[in-house]
Amino acid sequence: MAIALQVAKRASMHGDVPIGAVVLDAHGELCAQGGNEKELTGDPTAHAELLALRQAAVALGGWRLSGCTLVTTLEPCTMCAGAAVQARISRLVIGAWDEKAGAVSSLWDVVRDPRLNHRIEVISQVKAEMCTKLLQDYFASQRA
């Protein structure tokens, strides 16, 4: 989570909401990272989780990321939760909950929905206070 937080801070330097994500391979080694780039690139799909998943697929040579862990500073939205399921991620580690758009527990539970072909183990509230504070500070600075 510490690396995901560093990536999130970098995202805010170019005007994006500070959300960071990393992917650890099946051996626990860092293989990918991504920070929000929606503002930087003008791409509505440039969420931290999607960028990290894409980078991991390239690094590992395929879209099936079985055995991998996705670590993200904020609970994924429906798009990112769906992408994690499609990538066959084994574990999802979440910092802060997103009560407005979260799709892992807050509003929906896409990653553990028994109707889908894959379910993901979820570990939540990892460094939650730090993740929440980073977002609160960012939004406070935007209102100032």
Side-chain angles (χ1 to χ4, degrees):
M1 186 61 76
I3 297 170
L5 279 162
Q6 291 173 358
V7 173
K9 289 175 187 173
R10 286 196 304 264
S12 68
M13 291 180 193
H14 51 71
D16 274 287
V17 176
I19 300 170
V22 299
V23 176
L24 307 175
D25 68 16
H27 305 289
E29 298 294 321
L30 179 69
C31 66
Q33 58 184 319
N36 269 2
E37 293 184 0
K38 285 173 46 174
E39 297 299 329
L40 179 67
T41 63
D43 178 355
T45 69
H47 289 204
E49 299 90 341
L50 285 183
L51 297 174
L53 290 171
R54 289 175 187 153
Q55 191 179 95
V58 170
L60 299 174
W63 64 268
R64 283 187 184 89
L65 302 178
S66 301
C68 292
T69 300
L70 174 62
V71 180
T72 183
T73 58
L74 184 66
E75 178 183 5
C77 68
T78 53
M79 176 178 65
C80 294
V85 170
Q86 290 298 314
R88 310 300 195 267
I89 289 288
S90 295
R91 273 168 306 291
L92 173 62
V93 177
I94 301 169
W97 292 119
D98 184 352
E99 295 181 15
K100 293 182 180 179
V104 178
S105 189
S106 294
L107 298 179
W108 301 280
D109 196 350
V110 172
V111 301
R112 293 176 288 203
D113 190 321
R115 296 170 294 179
L116 298 177
N117 63 333
H118 179 73
R119 278 163 291 293
I120 299 172
E121 174 189 1
V122 176
I123 300 165
S124 61
Q125 300 291 275
V126 175
K127 297 194 178 194
E129 289 179 14
M130 294 174 73
C131 295
T132 300
K133 182 168 177 15
L134 181 62
L135 288 162
Q136 288 173 335
D137 291 350
Y138 171 80
F139 286 115
S141 73
Q142 296 300 302
R143 291 188 293 270

